Amino acid sequence: MIVYISNEVSPAHRHLKYRRLSDAKQKEVHEKFLQICDDPLLEDILQYLRLPSFDCSEYSDEEILLILQYMYLHFDFPVKYNINMTTLRNFLFQVYKNYNEVPFHNFRHSFCVTQMMYAMILKVDLSKLIDDLEILVLITSCICHDLDHPGYNNLYQVNARTELALRYNDISPLENHHCSVAFHILDLPDANIFENFSSDMFRTVREGIIRCILATDMARHNEILTQFRDAVTEGFDFKNQLHINLLCMILIKVADISNEARPMNVAEPWLDKLFKEFFTQSDTEKKEGLPVTPFMDRDKITKPSSQCSFIGYVLLPLFEALVQLFPELNEMIVYPVRYALDYYRKLNEAVKDEQRQQRKSVVTLDAQASTITSPSSPGVANSIQAQLEQGMLQQKSEEETSILSDEGGQSMVDLTEEEEEETKTEVAVSEKTLKFKISTERVDIKAEISNWFKLVEIRDLKKKVLKIFINFENVKLRSNKEMIKKKKKFYAWKPTHNSGVRSHPGSRKGSREKAQDFEITRAYRFDRTNRTSESGADKRSWSSSENTSSYEDKRSDNNSYEKRYHTCSPTTAIPEGSGEFPNALLSDKLKKLNEEAEQPKPQSSSTRSPDLKRFMNRVVRDFRGNKSKVANGVKNTEDSSSKSDSKCQTNANRSQHKEPKSPSWMSALLQNIKLRTASHETDSQ
Ligand SMILES: Nc1nc2c(ncn2[C@@H]2O[C@@H]3COP(=O)(O)O[C@H]3[C@H]2O)c(=O)[nH]1
């Protein structure tokens, strides 16, 4: 009988190909199970089964199947719910078949969880508090809760975009899959233990199983725990279905992570299996270039640091919440976990000491450094663990008394920030990484998400505005500075006093920004006038030139920030062909600017903001416009000067005169320089 599993497509399923139970093994177990399935269990085993110290490694697979069958019989489900025994055996065998041979999340793990659930149910006598159907749901959910687990958790599924993540839209992909496989098994006619259920009963059981299995996603840990705590604080009501649902979710969660409630000799091998699976995943993530799950990274965690964190932040708070409702569970699940925490704390401290020692010896024995084990190597932890175990197991009885009496004791571990970072718990990482949470009765996820989006939008908008503002400011400041520098350098320019700030039409009093712009513009004009005047030019004739009228036009026509800004931009500040050019450096600069302006600008500059781009385009346009204006200006000046007074002509004008058909501003400029250089050479000769 083949149960729905997709083995192709996703990397996660590719891993499965090598982890499926072999057909031979399946067949062997099936046959053996059918041989022993009518055998009664010994009374010793039945008593042992009620304890967290139960060690399933003492039993074969078929014996474990037999024990599971016994649990259904213990609660009398076959009789109460008309479950056919052959169907029950088929169901259990199908479950067995659909677990993978992965280190931790395998069939035996599902048994451990079911056994802990069974033990807790009996301990608190839950049958007297809730409906039998709920007990059936709890036991069946535990058996099915990790079906077809690939050994790679949800974070991997999402990051690797596996078939499961695609199918379940990143929402608890594994738990949804476990559930789905369970109901595919139950869909097989000869394995459907609910075949004789009314549709209402089936719906109740199906809803219950789905709820319980989905609750095992650690990304929902805090959400469920908070709701359960609230229910207990408000006054837990065993007649309230919402409270019962919460209790069932908490019970399966406790059972799922209850390994540390078992004695050290039972818990330790399971922890090693868990770490084997963790490290396999993180190694794969590294190989595949995926984000490495921090609490699984062999380079970042050690067993003690991980356990301190997991027990302190996840396990104890959960167990203590359940114990609030069922104090009788204290001894069974809380005491041993406190003991385990104390053990791992000591181990952790010892590992840290050892690491410090090693670091010291690395420094002092530099030559031997290469032979010393890496401080973070698991070898250190393991050797210390072995030493500690010996000593600690001897002290166990004394210490246990003191730890166990500390009922209100500190559950949380005192971790440094660095340690917390290293051992980030599964809950914290899953909650942060997984984008979606399934809505529950009390949490308005929608509202939370929309608030979050609002915040993001506002923050981004602020960022954008700030960026544009900074861009403008930078360009403006740069241009102003450059211009002042130029003036000082080439024209020995001195700022004018009270030069026209008041006369600037539309200028706001006290607007330093505007005043500064205007000041520079005016200063430049003043400077040019002076220079022209110095060289014998008529101020009036000069100011009637194209450039001055352009300035006047701008002054009267608009005071907008950009227009004013352009008036004094470095490009418009380039001296015209009629001006004097003191040295070749300036001509080089102008040449460069000219070349830049000639070059076609890229259509889209991804790094610039649209506003800045627009502004820069306008600067370039202005520069080109100015160039042609300057070229025209040369002509105009030439015309006007030829009309008015030939004395007003500068050397450049004269040169223009000699070559009136000069095609461009640049050639006029170069011509001018050539002439000047030639005259300089002649002078020096
Ligand atoms: N570090 C640590 N993690 C655990 C322990 N027991 C359970 N977990 C984690 O808790 C998770 C519960 O859900 P899963 O079974 O998917 O995977 C489990 C492990 O990743 C434990 O003893 N130590």
Side-chain angles (χ1 to χ4, degrees):
M1 222 173 309
I2 302 295
V3 169
Y4 160 84
I5 302 288
S6 122
N7 271 348
E8 278 89 48
V9 194
S10 77
H13 280 119
R14 276 205 300 277
H15 296 305
L16 283 184
K17 280 185 186 171
Y18 311 103
R19 293 167 190 269
R20 274 275 179 227
L21 287 170
S22 71
D23 288 349
K25 169 99 174 151
Q26 286 179 23
K27 199 172 165 226
E28 186 195 326
V29 171
H30 194 210
E31 281 169 4
K32 284 186 177 170
F33 176 48
L34 292 180
Q35 280 167 19
I36 61 165
C37 64
D38 286 322
D39 293 354
L41 289 177
L42 295 174
E43 186 54 35
D44 279 2
I45 297 175
L46 297 184
Q47 290 308 316
Y48 189 26
L49 199 55
R50 293 166 171 251
L51 304 173
S53 55
F54 189 93
D55 185 1
C56 70
S57 70
E58 296 166 14
Y59 301 90
S60 64
D61 286 353
E62 56 276 11
E63 284 169 338
I64 291 194
L65 284 168
L66 186 67
I67 295 170
L68 288 174
Q69 176 190 280
Y70 168 78
M71 289 179 192
Y72 280 81
L73 290 168
H74 173 101
F75 294 111
D76 215 10
F77 292 144
V79 174
K80 278 183 191 157
Y81 298 112
N82 195 12
I83 298 172
N84 182 292
M85 282 309 288
T86 309
T87 310
L88 178 61
R89 284 162 194 159
N90 285 339
F91 167 74
L92 292 174
F93 179 68
Q94 279 303 323
V95 167
Y96 170 74
K97 242 179 85 171
N98 279 285
Y99 273 98
N100 298 305
E101 275 190 322
V102 291
F104 183 87
H105 290 98
N106 50 38
F107 172 67
R108 280 168 182 267
H109 164 66
S110 85
F111 172 79
C112 290
V113 173
T114 315
Q115 187 267 326
M116 187 60 83
M117 178 67 85
Y118 174 80
M120 287 193 295
I121 290 170
L122 295 185
K123 184 78 184 171
V124 301
D125 217 351
L126 200 62
S127 303
K128 290 202 175 126
L129 298 167
I130 63 174
D131 200 273
D132 272 346
L133 206 61
E134 302 287 358
I135 309 273
L136 176 65
V137 164
L138 283 172
I139 296 288
T140 311
S141 299
C142 286
I143 291 175
C144 298
H145 87 282
D146 270 337
L147 270 169
D148 196 36
H149 198 297
Y152 293 79
N153 79 351
N154 279 336
L155 297 171
Y156 178 84
Q157 304 299 324
V158 172
N159 290 330
R161 301 177 192 177
T162 63
E163 163 63 17
L164 292 183
L166 285 175
R167 189 183 304 154
Y168 297 110
N169 304 312
D170 296 351
I171 304 168
S172 306
L174 283 178
E175 291 70 22
N176 272 303
H177 182 59
H178 306 322
C179 231
S180 172
V181 174
F183 281 97
H184 274 90
I185 292 174
L186 289 165
D187 207 33
L188 300 170
D190 55 356
N192 183 6
I193 51 173
F194 306 134
E195 62 185 339
N196 297 321
F197 281 30
S198 69
S199 54
D200 271 1
M201 256 171 79
F202 180 79
R203 200 181 312 124
T204 307
V205 170
R206 179 167 157 81
E207 272 177 21
I209 291 174
I210 292 172
R211 185 183 307 110
C212 283
I213 295 181
L214 292 187
T216 61
D217 181 355
M218 293 303 277
R220 297 182 61 208
H221 176 84
N222 285 327
E223 169 209 328
I224 296 168
L225 180 57
T226 308
Q227 290 184 23
F228 178 72
R229 275 185 183 143
D230 288 351
V232 174
T233 314
E234 283 164 16
F236 195 90
D237 181 2
F238 283 97
K239 290 194 180 75
N240 181 338
Q241 191 56 46
L242 286 180
H243 285 194
I244 300 294
N245 292 347
L246 280 171
L247 173 61
C248 290
M249 290 195 277
I250 289 291
L251 280 170
I252 194 169
K253 280 176 63 57
V254 168
D256 191 23
I257 57 173
S258 62
N259 185 48
E260 284 299 348
R262 296 183 187 275
M264 200 72 75
N265 63 315
V266 181
E268 204 67 25
W270 276 106
L271 195 57
D272 291 339
K273 288 173 191 173
L274 181 67
F275 275 79
K276 195 175 171 195
E277 208 173 283
F278 279 181
F279 294 157
T280 308
Q281 175 171 327
S282 62
D283 290 348
T284 311
E285 287 166 338
K286 286 173 192 172
K287 232 186 284 163
E288 293 178 0
L290 297 169
V292 181
T293 307
F295 62 87
M296 293 186 176
D297 192 344
R298 65 169 83 238
D299 299 328
K300 290 203 174 136
I301 60 154
T302 62
K303 204 198 285 184
S305 69
S306 173
Q307 288 311 87
C308 284
S309 184
F310 187 77
I311 298 172
Y313 290 107
V314 182
L315 232 160
L316 259 182
L318 175 73
F319 286 19
E320 283 170 346
L322 182 62
V323 163
Q324 285 275 308
L325 185 65
F326 296 124
E328 56 269 50
L329 286 178
N330 214 352
E331 205 177 325
M332 187 176 161
I333 57 171
V334 173
Y335 287 179
V337 164
R338 282 214 191 113
Y339 175 76
L341 177 59
D342 195 64
Y343 166 76
Y344 283 115
R345 266 189 196 153
K346 283 184 177 147
L347 198 57
N348 203 24
E349 277 158 26
V351 172
K352 298 253 165 213
D353 278 351
E354 180 76 12
Q355 287 175 355
R356 265 178 238 124
Q357 288 295 327
Q358 281 201 1
R359 268 188 222 118
K360 269 188 205 162
S361 51
V362 167
V363 174
T364 48
L365 303 168
D366 202 27
Q368 296 165 21
S370 57
T371 59
I372 295 170
T373 334
S374 153
S376 58
S377 76
V380 176
N382 290 341
S383 72
I384 293 166
Q385 188 176 354
Q387 291 166 26
L388 257 174
E389 261 167 25
Q390 276 186 341
M392 281 193 64
L393 289 174
Q394 283 160 10
Q395 297 167 17
K396 184 177 171 177
S397 51
E398 301 161 30
E399 281 190 22
E400 214 165 4
T401 333
S402 67
I403 298 161
L404 301 189
S405 61
D406 177 26
E407 278 193 35
Q410 179 201 22
S411 311
M412 303 295 280
V413 198
D414 292 327
L415 294 174
T416 64
E417 269 179 38
E418 189 192 328
E419 283 167 340
E420 275 186 37
E421 183 59 36
E422 277 176 14
T423 57
K424 265 186 183 159
T425 62
E426 186 163 354
V427 176
V429 175
S430 309
E431 275 188 347
K432 269 187 199 153
T433 314
L434 294 178
K435 294 174 283 290
F436 306 108
K437 279 187 187 178
I438 296 144
S439 177
T440 58
E441 292 89 352
R442 298 188 191 189
V443 186
D444 189 356
I445 300 289
K446 256 191 192 172
E448 270 182 29
I449 291 174
S450 83
N451 280 341
W452 185 75
F453 270 115
K454 266 186 223 160
L455 277 177
V456 171
E457 273 169 26
I458 291 168
R459 201 185 53 202
D460 282 0
L461 196 71
K462 270 187 197 160
K463 258 194 204 165
K464 267 184 197 163
V465 172
L466 200 68
K467 216 172 156 188
I468 292 168
F469 178 74
I470 288 168
N471 279 339
F472 267 115
E473 282 300 294
N474 280 347
V475 172
K476 204 184 85 181
L477 280 174
R478 221 180 304 131
S479 70
N480 286 351
K481 268 186 200 162
E482 269 173 28
M483 187 141 90
I484 291 166
K485 225 160 78 186
K486 265 183 197 166
K487 304 219 158 300
K488 279 184 177 166
K489 199 166 178 182
F490 302 120
Y491 292 58
W493 171 78
K494 285 186 182 67
T496 49
H497 304 290
N498 303 323
S499 44
V501 177
R502 268 168 287 142
S503 67
H504 192 307
S507 71
R508 272 201 342 235
K509 265 188 186 173
S511 166
R512 289 179 64 184
E513 206 176 62
K514 284 182 182 179
Q516 194 187 12
D517 288 349
F518 182 67
E519 187 84 353
I520 292 167
T521 314
R522 197 176 179 284
Y524 180 55
R525 181 176 160 234
F526 173 73
D527 175 70
R528 282 177 22 148
T529 315
N530 279 350
R531 293 202 63 77
T532 325
S533 169
E534 268 166 33
S535 61
D538 185 335
K539 279 181 201 173
R540 264 168 303 169
S541 71
W542 194 95
S543 57
S544 68
S545 74
E546 174 72 16
N547 205 34
T548 314
S549 70
S550 145
Y551 161 68
E552 294 294 342
D553 288 347
K554 276 173 184 159
R555 228 181 64 153
S556 55
D557 109 357
N558 202 321
N559 298 308
S560 78
Y561 174 82
E562 279 195 26
K563 284 212 171 180
R564 284 190 304 103
Y565 182 68
H566 290 160
T567 314
C568 63
S569 75
T571 47
T572 50
I574 292 166
E576 304 120 3
S578 59
E580 285 191 12
F581 299 96
N583 56 31
L585 187 68
L586 177 59
S587 83
D588 281 344
K589 283 196 174 183
L590 289 168
K591 201 172 160 190
K592 215 168 151 202
L593 268 172
N594 195 38
E595 280 165 5
E596 276 170 14
E598 289 299 342
Q599 273 171 12
K601 294 285 165 209
Q603 279 298 303
S604 62
S605 166
S606 56
T607 51
R608 283 178 188 163
S609 74
D611 302 65
L612 184 64
K613 234 189 302 174
R614 228 176 291 132
F615 163 71
M616 292 307 284
N617 285 343
R618 205 173 300 175
V619 168
V620 170
R621 249 198 336 270
D622 264 30
F623 176 67
R624 285 181 178 152
N626 185 57
K627 229 173 58 178
S628 59
K629 275 181 201 167
V630 170
N632 290 339
V634 170
K635 252 183 167 177
N636 286 346
T637 318
E638 174 200 314
D639 292 347
S640 61
S641 19
S642 61
K643 272 178 204 162
S644 56
D645 189 354
S646 61
K647 278 182 195 169
C648 294
Q649 291 167 1
T650 60
N651 289 341
N653 286 131
R654 270 185 242 121
S655 74
Q656 298 287 331
H657 258 300
K658 282 173 193 165
E659 286 180 347
K661 284 177 190 168
S662 175
S664 78
W665 167 72
M666 201 61 217
S667 59
L669 169 66
L670 292 171
Q671 191 69 34
N672 181 309
I673 293 160
K674 257 188 237 160
L675 276 171
R676 285 183 61 77
T677 320
S679 74
H680 179 73
E681 276 165 5
T682 325
D683 286 353
S684 57
Q685 274 167 11

